[in-house]
Amino acid sequence: MSHSIPDKENLLIILFLSNGGLSVLNLSLHALWGVQLGSGFMAVVDDAAVPVLTVETKILLQKLKIWDKISSGNLHSIALSDVQSLFDILDPSEKGYITRSECFSLLQIQNVKISRSYLKDLCEDADKDNSGTISAEEFLKALTTGKVAFNYLKESLNKGAKEMKQNECDRSDLIEWLHEEYETTSALYSMPSVLILLASYFYFAISHIDVANSWRMRNTLYHNLDSLWKPAIRGERYGSKAHMEWTNSTWLRKYYRQNLATDPVPGRVAIQNQMIGGSRLHKELYNQTGPCMVSPEQASLYNSYTGECDRYGGLTEVDIVLPYHLLLSIHENTIDNLTRSYYFDNRVSLVEYQTILYNGHNNMLTFERLQWDSQTSGYLQLWFNHESWMAEPYRDWFNVIPDILFVLILLRMAHQEAKELLPAIAGGLDGIKDYFKFWNIVDWTAILMGFINVALWLYLFLKISIELPQVISLVPQAELDARVLQNQTYLTFDTLAEIIDPFLLNTRINDVFIVAREIYDFHMLLRAFFFGYFFILMLKFFKSFQANPRLDIVVQTINHCAVNVAHFAIVFLAIFLCYAFAGHFLLGHKHKGWSSMLGSLFMLWSTTLTMDMVADFSEPVQAVSYAWTLTYQILVQQVMLNMLYCIVFDSYAFVKTRAGSPLTLYAQIRDAAATARETRTFVNLYTLIVQLEDDDFPAHPNEIVTARSLKRAFEADGMTRANAEYLLMKTADFVQEKSQEVELTLSDAIRVTGHIQTTMLKSLDYAEGSLMMISTEARNKEAAERQQDRAAFVSNALEMPSFEQKQGDQVVPVSDDCLDILERSLDRVAEVLATCRQEQTNVAADIHQELQAIWKQEDQRYQRVDALIHEMEQNLQAMERSIGSMGVSFSGTNFQQLASVPERCQTSQLLEALDSQAEQGCVGRLDTKLQELQKMMHLLGEKAQKTSQLREILWRLELNLRELNGGKSVIPMSCFIREQREVLSKMSKEEREPSKDED
């Protein structure tokens, strides 16, 4: 493996590390990262009008007590005076308000627990009128009652926003966001594909099953036999002989209309429907008699002659073909012979009259089945069944379009799912388990069932278009019709034999019925598949609805109430089944619908009890029937069903409230299109999920994910740095958004209640203390007024020539000399105090001038220090780039061999090369800059200590001057600001010391 030679910058880094500069580099890198993080944080503020605060303003802001209250979470203790102190600094011109940009300038203050998101929420709550200005009252209200207060409450409950460092996140958060984004995106993208799939499948279904014409055919044929009810009644009353007589007198004349004057086309039924070959009589009967499934005594009671039952053993099928070309008299003789031979005897289970009809106008073939089910009770159950299908499915060329479109959509869906399934298979058994979740199973079910529908249709198409025409072509129907029209009469057996052997004709017509019966069954199966596939598409729509929060409300409502509905269903079914089975025994002996258990369930749900149903019951039974139906209507239909509605509506209200005001479908599609354009060259999300969740060999095993580590983990997949930074940014937004959704548990509610109680008690204590202070101040004020009155009395007394003081019963006189001496003494004291006051004022002025000169010198030193730090930052950035290049150069290097490089590099030639003037000059300049910086920091520390001492002396002097000047301030308050050097030294130290997270 070939390695590139390190460039000059990388060589400088190696030299720097070999000279023992590792600790300095680490410290410098931490300081550099601190600057980068700070600048990056400021870059987040998009408003270019944010003013830059001066150092003096930052110090004044940092000294405010409001930050301590915010950091401790005691927002309730913030008063208007605290906010006003903040506004006095941010609003020096006393406008009475601050702008949003001035509010965002608070981000420049170090060691203040407030973030950009909190400031954004604060400005939104304070500036309700969108005027762009915020007053002190609005600021206080938003800070104590708005979103910020709620966020701090969440933090106190350990449910606040998770702290996210720039350009890094947790691996679990990244995977969770990938799952969320992948499911939402795939569901959103599947919505148009599902709509297209539904449209293409509907087009595919209606182009191959003509339901409208099928109904028309059934309706025509049903009404063609207007006496269908007669054979069942006649057979039930008079036996099978009466049924056969109906067949001979009615059915034959309806289907074999042989008057060429009125029916010129042979074989026509119901005017427009052409018979194929003829009809077939199909019979299913038990092939033998046997013992009844009762005791011998009961068997002899049923059949005293043999003691056997007629229906025993397996079923045998018997078919008789009646070609429509033969004379009607021949078919009547056949039916008479069947009647005399007991064709429909007690062993027969089913008799069918089958006919195949073709309608050329509608392009429909119809298989008609008139069934008489001979039940063991002796009742003949009549069924009229038919199935119609297109005789030529692709008569028009464009009928193949829905097939091609539907197959292409299925192939595209299979391709999309396969792109996700193959990485899951590569991930092993765990990847397959993670892949086959409910919605992926729905997707594959839709694909497989779609192909099954297509395969079933192709099989049916081959039957309709190839096999059925082949067997029909073997029946010489055209020649037979021509002979009938030529002779102007239908054929006898001899005339028929001139064209085709009658037995062979019957065999070929029977073959047509066999193939048509297969088509009949498969066509019914195809309709059943079409029926079921629409429910699979409904599930696909539910998956797509999850992409949009507004559409997902319905799905989430169903999910939310599913458990409650399931428990409700247990109670409901228990009551409903009891009522249904009770109705079965109450009404089943008289009404057909209630005669079976399943029928009772349907009848109870769909019908109600009427007077006619119980008119012939006895009065006690009628009373029971009325009580039964009345209690059912009240308990089930009124109470329980309304409870079900309440359960659903309650879940809907909960889901709707939790959703808030979600995006509309149009806005989401617009954002998704923009995201797709932005991420079209990025690595597929599902590939990231599979490789990150691989239990054996995860692509990124570390818990902390950075842009560099993520890019390195998926370098083989072509991940770029922009891709990695995009993933981290979206993960941070996802975590921040998720932190806004807080659901307080019962324990949390108790904690909040306790917090409110504690706050109320503190407020009560503060109120009591304030009351005591007011009372004390009132008493002090009264005492001061009394003292002032006494002083005024003494002053008046001093102006009098003499006064007398009463002690007991004696009066002590005061001479004028004593009063003169006292007056002169007081004058001298006043002069001394005035002199002292003037001297202290002069000293304060000198000290203020000296402090101004010292601060000016310190500002100059700060500027030089900033220049040195900036130059060092540039050098360290160059070092970092070199380290990155060196990391790329060392990729794939054997570090065991690299460990022996320092020993082998101890050669005179290499040392001379490394000791060149250029490299020594670079390192020397860096060391010199660091030494100068250290000296400047030492001088700043000494000056800070001296300034602190001067501030204490100056403050004591100010206190003395205030006592002499009646409490008025003499020295300007700007002299008592904490020295900039002390604060900046602390700030610089905190920026350069590595934190635990950085370590």
Side-chain angles (χ1 to χ4, degrees):
M1 182 183 294
S2 62
H3 298 282
S4 59
I5 300 176
D7 54 12
K8 183 176 180 180
E9 191 175 19
N10 291 334
L11 191 62
L12 177 61
I13 295 297
I14 297 173
L15 176 63
F16 182 74
L17 294 176
S18 64
N19 287 336
L22 182 60
S23 60
V24 178
L25 178 61
N26 285 335
L27 180 61
S28 302
L29 285 177
H30 283 300
L32 179 61
W33 275 110
V35 173
Q36 287 181 344
L37 288 175
S39 60
F41 184 76
M42 287 301 297
V44 177
V45 181
D46 298 329
D47 192 358
V50 174
V52 179
L53 302 179
T54 62
V55 177
E56 182 178 357
T57 304
K58 291 179 182 179
I59 295 173
L60 290 174
L61 289 172
Q62 196 173 16
K63 290 174 59 179
L64 296 176
K65 296 180 180 180
I66 190 174
W67 309 124
D68 297 332
K69 297 179 180 181
I70 291 177
S71 61
S72 61
N74 296 324
L75 300 182
H76 59 278
S77 63
I78 298 177
L80 182 61
S81 58
D82 299 324
V83 178
Q84 193 62 50
S85 301
L86 176 65
F87 271 58
D88 292 341
I89 300 175
L90 293 179
D91 182 25
S93 59
E94 297 183 356
K95 300 186 302 293
Y97 62 85
I98 61 173
T99 62
R100 287 198 177 200
S101 58
E102 291 174 344
C103 184
F104 276 106
S105 65
L106 297 175
L107 295 172
Q108 304 174 27
I109 308 174
Q110 298 293 332
N111 300 326
V112 173
K113 186 181 178 182
I114 190 167
S115 62
R116 172 180 170 77
S117 61
Y118 282 10
L119 282 177
K120 180 180 178 182
D121 294 339
L122 185 64
C123 291
E124 290 179 356
D125 291 336
D127 189 16
K128 294 292 187 181
D129 55 356
N130 294 324
S131 61
T133 60
I134 302 171
S135 65
E137 292 78 7
E138 293 174 341
F139 191 92
L140 176 62
K141 183 177 179 181
L143 185 62
T144 55
T145 61
K147 296 179 182 178
V148 176
F150 181 65
N151 291 333
Y152 279 116
L153 176 61
K154 289 191 296 183
E155 290 182 359
S156 65
L157 296 173
N158 297 323
K159 295 178 181 289
K162 186 175 181 180
E163 292 294 334
M164 297 293 296
K165 295 185 178 180
Q166 191 177 14
N167 294 329
E168 73 175 44
C169 68
D170 293 341
R171 180 173 174 269
S172 59
D173 293 335
L174 176 61
I175 294 176
E176 185 178 0
W177 174 80
L178 288 173
H179 276 288
E180 181 77 14
E181 182 69 13
Y182 167 72
E183 292 174 359
T184 303
T185 305
S186 60
L188 183 62
Y189 289 164
S190 66
M191 190 175 299
S193 64
V194 173
L195 289 173
I196 297 174
L197 177 63
L198 174 64
S200 63
Y201 184 72
F202 182 74
Y203 190 16
F204 168 79
I206 64 174
S207 63
H208 299 319
I209 296 182
D210 193 348
V211 179
N213 282 325
S214 178
W215 178 86
R216 294 189 183 98
M217 291 297 298
R218 190 260 181 199
N219 187 59
T220 300
L221 296 175
Y222 181 81
H223 288 90
N224 179 56
L225 295 173
D226 53 357
S227 60
L228 274 178
W229 56 272
K230 291 182 179 180
I233 299 297
R234 292 174 64 86
E236 188 176 350
R237 290 180 180 178
Y238 308 109
S240 58
K241 182 179 179 181
H243 168 77
M244 298 302 293
E245 291 176 355
W246 175 87
T247 302
N248 199 351
S249 62
T250 303
W251 181 78
L252 278 178
R253 284 170 172 75
K254 287 285 185 179
Y255 281 78
Y256 293 85
R257 304 164 63 92
Q258 296 188 354
N259 187 352
L260 293 177
T262 57
D263 298 291
V265 180
R268 286 293 172 90
V269 177
I271 302 175
Q272 298 293 346
N273 301 287
Q274 177 65 42
M275 190 183 300
I276 305 297
S279 297
R280 185 175 75 165
L281 305 182
H282 176 78
K283 180 175 69 172
E284 296 179 4
L285 72 160
Y286 292 92
N287 51 19
Q288 61 182 349
T289 60
C292 297
M293 305 299 294
V294 293
S295 63
E297 293 80 6
Q298 297 295 328
S300 62
L301 182 63
Y302 177 72
N303 188 349
S304 60
Y305 180 68
T306 61
E308 294 181 347
C309 291
D310 299 321
R311 300 187 177 188
Y312 186 81
L315 289 174
T316 302
E317 297 182 356
V318 178
D319 296 319
I320 299 175
V321 177
L322 303 176
Y324 71 85
H325 299 91
L326 290 176
L327 286 170
L328 178 60
S329 59
I330 296 176
H331 295 319
E332 289 176 347
N333 292 332
T334 302
I335 299 299
D336 290 339
N337 294 331
L338 292 175
T339 303
R340 286 191 293 269
S341 63
Y342 298 102
Y343 176 78
F344 200 165
D345 60 5
N346 295 335
R347 293 184 303 160
V348 175
S349 172
L350 178 70
V351 171
E352 285 188 12
Y353 296 169
Q354 301 175 353
T355 309
I356 302 175
L357 302 169
Y358 173 67
N359 190 304
H361 298 285
N362 296 332
N363 188 31
M364 299 294 291
L365 272 168
T366 302
F367 192 107
E368 181 190 69
R369 300 170 64 191
L370 292 178
Q371 294 180 323
W372 285 272
D373 183 11
S374 178
Q375 300 179 357
T376 56
S377 63
Y379 180 73
L380 287 179
Q381 178 66 54
L382 174 63
W383 304 104
F384 180 79
N385 297 322
H386 83 288
E387 194 71 24
S388 299
W389 60 85
M390 294 183 180
E392 293 179 343
Y394 296 106
R395 182 173 58 180
D396 299 321
W397 65 269
F398 52 81
N399 287 340
V400 75
I401 294 178
D403 299 11
I404 297 175
L405 180 63
F406 182 61
V407 171
L408 290 177
I409 293 175
L410 290 178
L411 291 175
R412 182 184 178 278
M413 290 173 56
H415 177 259
Q416 294 292 335
E417 294 296 327
K419 288 198 302 184
E420 300 175 1
L421 179 60
L422 293 178
I425 295 175
L429 184 61
D430 295 332
I432 296 176
K433 290 181 180 179
D434 293 336
Y435 173 78
F436 280 106
K437 296 180 180 179
F438 177 76
W439 293 116
N440 286 334
I441 293 176
V442 170
D443 292 336
W444 278 109
T445 303
I447 294 171
L448 295 178
M449 292 300 295
F451 282 118
I452 290 175
N453 284 334
V454 174
L456 186 60
W457 164 247
L458 290 178
Y459 177 80
L460 191 62
F461 168 73
L462 295 177
K463 285 280 186 180
I464 295 173
S465 301
I466 298 178
E467 189 172 352
L468 184 60
Q470 287 179 352
V471 295
I472 291 177
S473 64
L474 297 178
V475 179
Q477 184 163 321
E479 291 85 348
L480 295 174
D481 289 344
R483 180 62 63 89
V484 170
L485 295 176
Q486 180 182 356
N487 297 339
Q488 287 298 306
T489 183
Y490 282 82
L491 308 179
T492 63
F493 281 110
D494 295 336
T495 309
L496 180 64
E498 296 177 1
I499 301 175
I500 187 173
D501 181 64
F503 179 77
L504 180 59
L505 178 62
N506 289 345
T507 303
R508 291 182 176 178
I509 294 176
N510 192 61
D511 292 339
V512 173
F513 276 95
I514 292 174
V515 176
R517 178 58 189 272
E518 293 180 1
I519 296 175
Y520 179 98
D521 295 336
F522 276 100
H523 199 267
M524 289 183 61
L525 182 62
L526 182 63
R527 287 196 296 111
F529 270 88
F530 284 177
F531 169 81
Y533 196 73
F534 282 104
F535 290 95
I536 298 176
L537 294 180
M538 181 182 68
L539 293 178
K540 289 278 292 179
F541 273 110
F542 280 167
K543 177 186 176 182
S544 302
F545 293 158
Q546 291 181 337
N548 183 262
R550 290 183 181 270
L551 299 177
D552 192 41
I553 289 177
V554 178
V555 182
Q556 293 301 323
T557 300
I558 296 175
N559 292 335
H560 187 267
C561 69
V563 177
N564 292 330
V565 170
H567 288 80
F568 171 84
I570 296 174
V571 180
F572 178 81
L573 286 177
I575 299 174
F576 185 79
L577 290 176
C578 291
Y579 272 95
F581 295 157
H584 168 69
F585 289 101
L586 181 66
L587 306 171
H589 68 286
K590 184 178 179 181
H591 300 282
K592 180 181 178 181
W594 294 91
S595 61
S596 63
M597 292 293 187
L598 187 60
S600 298
L601 296 174
F602 178 77
M603 293 295 293
L604 183 64
W605 182 260
S606 60
T607 62
T608 57
L609 188 68
T610 62
M611 291 290 295
D612 295 336
M613 297 174 65
V614 296
D616 55 350
F617 287 177
S618 62
E619 292 183 357
V621 177
Q622 289 183 5
V624 171
S625 301
Y626 296 152
W628 169 75
T629 186
L630 181 62
T631 55
Y632 168 76
Q633 290 178 357
I634 295 175
L635 181 60
V636 177
Q637 294 183 350
Q638 301 296 328
V639 177
M640 298 203 67
L641 291 182
N642 286 326
M643 289 175 60
L644 178 61
Y645 297 150
C646 292
I647 292 174
V648 176
F649 289 155
D650 182 66
S651 297
Y652 175 79
F654 173 79
V655 174
K656 183 68 172 62
T657 303
R658 185 177 60 182
S661 299
L663 287 175
T664 61
L665 184 60
Y666 171 75
Q668 189 177 20
I669 293 175
R670 181 187 58 197
D671 296 342
T675 303
R677 288 193 300 268
E678 183 181 0
T679 61
R680 61 180 180 272
T681 59
F682 290 175
V683 181
N684 184 266
L685 295 180
Y686 192 77
T687 302
L688 299 176
I689 294 173
V690 171
Q691 297 189 26
L692 285 173
E693 291 185 339
D694 191 351
D695 295 334
D696 299 327
F697 303 101
H700 194 292
N702 295 334
E703 291 298 327
I704 302 300
V705 181
T706 63
R708 181 177 298 175
S709 63
L710 191 61
K711 178 178 178 294
R712 188 182 303 115
F714 294 95
E715 193 169 3
D717 297 311
M719 177 175 286
T720 61
R721 184 174 183 84
N723 189 357
E725 292 177 349
Y726 173 83
L727 295 175
L728 295 180
M729 179 186 67
K730 289 297 183 180
T731 303
D733 295 340
F734 170 74
V735 173
Q736 184 69 21
E737 182 180 357
K738 187 175 66 172
S739 65
Q740 302 296 330
E741 301 174 358
V742 178
E743 295 184 8
L744 298 182
T745 61
L746 179 60
S747 60
D748 295 333
I750 294 174
R751 293 179 59 186
V752 172
T753 305
H755 180 73
I756 294 174
Q757 182 181 7
T758 304
T759 304
M760 294 297 294
L761 292 176
K762 288 182 179 179
S763 301
L764 183 60
D765 294 338
Y766 291 150
E768 292 177 353
S770 301
L771 183 59
M772 293 178 62
M773 291 175 60
I774 293 172
S775 301
T776 303
E777 178 145 4
R779 289 194 296 268
N780 293 337
K781 185 176 181 181
E782 293 178 358
E785 290 177 354
R786 289 196 297 269
Q787 185 67 25
Q788 186 177 2
D789 293 340
R790 287 195 296 268
F793 176 76
V794 172
S795 177
N796 293 331
L798 290 176
E799 293 176 1
M800 296 173 62
S802 65
F803 70 94
E804 295 180 352
Q805 183 176 2
K806 186 177 180 181
Q807 293 183 352
D809 297 331
Q810 296 179 0
V811 177
V812 180
V814 179
S815 63
D816 294 336
D817 296 333
C818 291
L819 293 176
D820 293 337
I821 295 171
L822 179 59
E823 184 177 359
R824 286 193 298 270
S825 299
L826 291 175
D827 291 338
R828 285 196 299 270
V829 170
E831 293 176 358
V832 171
L833 290 176
T835 304
C836 293
R837 182 182 301 169
Q838 183 63 34
E839 291 178 355
Q840 289 179 351
T841 302
N842 296 335
V843 171
D846 296 339
I847 293 174
H848 179 67
Q849 293 178 359
E850 184 178 356
L851 286 175
Q852 292 293 336
I854 293 173
W855 288 344
K856 185 175 181 181
Q857 294 175 2
E858 289 176 355
D859 290 337
Q860 296 175 356
R861 293 191 185 94
Y862 289 147
Q863 293 176 0
R864 291 197 298 271
V865 170
D866 289 338
L868 292 174
I869 291 175
H870 182 69
E871 184 177 358
M872 186 180 69
E873 288 174 356
Q874 293 179 348
N875 294 332
L876 292 178
Q877 289 176 359
M879 293 177 189
E880 185 186 18
R881 291 193 297 269
S882 301
I883 290 173
S885 302
M886 183 174 63
V888 176
S889 302
F890 277 122
S891 61
T893 305
N894 189 343
F895 289 98
Q896 293 181 355
Q897 297 179 3
L898 185 63
S900 61
V901 171
E903 297 178 358
R904 289 183 291 173
C905 289
Q906 303 258 341
T907 60
S908 58
Q909 294 83 0
L910 183 59
L911 291 175
E912 290 177 0
L914 296 177
D915 229 3
S916 61
Q917 187 66 26
E919 285 75 7
Q920 289 180 359
C922 294
V923 177
R925 286 195 302 272
L926 182 59
D927 291 339
T928 303
K929 296 286 177 72
L930 292 174
Q931 292 175 3
E932 291 179 359
L933 179 61
Q934 185 176 7
K935 290 180 180 179
M936 295 298 294
M937 298 300 289
H938 182 68
L939 291 175
L940 289 174
E942 292 178 354
K943 290 292 185 180
Q945 186 176 4
K946 293 180 180 180
T947 306
S948 178
Q949 296 174 357
L950 289 174
R951 181 172 57 85
E952 293 178 359
I953 296 172
L954 192 61
W955 177 249
R956 288 195 296 269
L957 180 60
E958 169 66 12
L959 293 177
N960 295 329
L961 290 175
R962 286 186 180 183
E963 292 179 358
L964 298 176
N965 200 24
K968 296 182 180 180
S969 176
V970 178
I971 303 175
M973 292 303 296
S974 58
C975 298
F976 302 108
I977 298 176
R978 183 179 296 176
E979 289 76 0
Q980 301 175 7
R981 175 173 61 260
E982 198 172 325
V983 176
L984 291 177
S985 176
K986 181 179 179 182
M987 292 164 55
S988 177
K989 182 178 179 181
E990 289 178 355
E991 289 179 353
R992 286 155 178 77
E993 284 184 359
S995 65
K996 294 181 180 180
D997 294 337
E998 292 172 341
D999 291 340

